[in-house]
Each structure stands twice: as structure tokens, then as C-alpha cells.
Amino acid sequence: MTEAVNLMHKVGQGITPQQFMERMQVREMVNSGIPNTVERFYDKYHGFRTLDSARRSLFASSGERLGIRCLILCTDWCPDVMWNVPVLFRIMEQSGIPVEALIMEEHLDTMDLFLTDGGRAQPVAIFVDRGGNVLGRWGARPAYIQQVMDDFKASLPDRQSPSYQEQLNQVYRDIGALYLEGDRYQDVILQELDVLFRRFVQTP
């Protein structure tokens, strides 16, 4: 149970959003519809709209009351990071919640506490209170996008099949297409974080 995990020893061990962005390498991710990862990241970061007052108040007041910090496990070679992390960075910044990136390869001990269906899917945003106790997590994708991968795995594809890689590539193309629809995925991230933060403040 993530509620029993304490990550106080990880607080301050990551890098700032600015450092993460400065260190990103330019990559092309054809299946995910990303011709230039750095441009896509900055586009989503600078294009993120201002939070509405009610939601910003919820996040900010919850963060202040519980001393919330956000630790994001991520790398710059994952397409989901390019879509989701700039949004997470901006939400935390606008809410006044301290946020830092933990590069996955440097924190595998933590990554392995927050697997998705047994795999190291990223990004994972971990929320801890002022004592370092884990309150909850978000990631690696909005639920409706994650469902595409879940459905693929549920179909029990044969990893030894010659067509397996192409099937997987198609899944990544389908996931990329959902991100490319526009801001819908960002709205869902906000809705999912809304539910999460309300749970934080309701927990005794």
C-alpha cells in the first residue's frame, strides 16, 4: 500500500522543473506523433492555461494544510512524459506546491514501489505530506488513455510472435492519437487530481 510508504529521504534529491527542461535531449518519437520532444514539451508547458480559481484554491489550500510536495518519476525519453509532465509542472507551480523530478534510472528503488501493471511506466507523480508520508500518486497516463494499453495487455498478445512489435507500435500510435486530440487529456488530468486532492483532505 502506497499509504504506508515514507519518502522523506527522497525529498530534495531530485532536480527542478527548469533543470529537467534544460537537460532534455531532442528526440523524434514517430509512433507517438512527436517530431521533436523538446519542442513538444515546451509547447505544452507554455501553452497550459491558468487554473480556474476553485481548482487552484483546492490544490493550494490542500498543499498548504498538509505540506504537500510532488515528486515526479520521469525521464526525457518517454513519450508520456512529453505530454503529461509539462502539465503536472504547471499545475504544481500555479498551486504553489513544491515539485521536483526524480530521474527514473537514478531512483529505481522508488520507481519499483509505484509500478503500473507490474511495469515501470512513467511519469508517476507522487504526493507526500510534510513528514514524507505518501498520500497518493497519479500516472502514468490519464485513465482513458491508459485503458488502451490495458486492453492490449488483456488481449494476452504473444510476445514471441513476429507481429508483436508492430501490434505494440500500433498501440503507441493509438495512444499518441488520443494525446493529439487537443486539451481533453489535460482536462482529465485535472479531474483526476481533483479527486485525489479531495481524498487527501478527507483522510483523517
Side-chain angles (χ1 to χ4, degrees), residues 3-163:
E3 290 78 9
V5 176
N6 185 287
L7 294 179
M8 194 66 195
H9 62 294
K10 290 293 183 178
V11 174
Q13 297 302 304
I15 59 176
T16 66
Q18 189 61 38
Q19 289 172 326
F20 181 83
M21 290 188 279
E22 289 173 353
R23 297 179 190 182
M24 287 190 299
Q25 297 182 33
V26 175
R27 305 172 194 272
E28 180 183 16
M29 299 178 174
V30 176
N31 288 328
S32 300
I34 304 177
N36 183 306
T37 52
V38 173
E39 287 183 0
R40 180 58 49 81
F41 194 101
Y42 274 91
D43 177 63
K44 292 302 174 182
Y45 180 81
H46 291 297
F48 184 75
R49 63 197 179 282
T50 302
L51 291 172
D52 65 75
S53 58
R55 190 159 271 151
R56 177 164 21 188
S57 177
L58 168 65
F59 295 160
S61 61
S62 302
E64 184 176 352
R65 173 182 164 187
L66 299 171
I68 292 175
R69 301 184 68 92
C70 179
L71 312 176
I72 304 178
L73 287 157
C74 56
T75 64
D76 73 342
W77 49 259
C78 174
D80 293 289
V81 167
M82 298 302 111
W83 296 106
N84 298 324
V85 169
V87 175
L88 292 169
F89 278 169
R90 293 295 271 172
I91 293 171
M92 298 307 124
E93 290 166 8
Q94 292 185 27
S95 303
I97 294 175
V99 57
E100 57 188 290
L102 300 177
I103 303 304
M104 185 188 76
E105 292 91 343
E106 299 173 7
H107 300 274
L108 292 178
D109 56 332
T110 303
M111 182 76 250
D112 287 344
L113 296 174
F114 300 93
L115 301 178
T116 301
D117 296 330
R120 292 172 173 168
Q122 51 171 313
V124 176
I126 307 163
F127 299 94
V128 301
D129 64 17
R130 60 175 51 89
N133 301 301
V134 174
L135 298 169
R137 59 168 283 180
W138 181 91
R141 305 177 176 104
Y144 79 103
I145 296 181
Q146 179 61 35
Q147 191 62 50
V148 176
M149 181 61 75
D150 291 345
D151 289 346
F152 174 66
K153 291 182 177 179
S155 71
L156 300 177
D158 180 4
R159 288 176 173 268
Q160 306 307 316
S161 168
S163 64

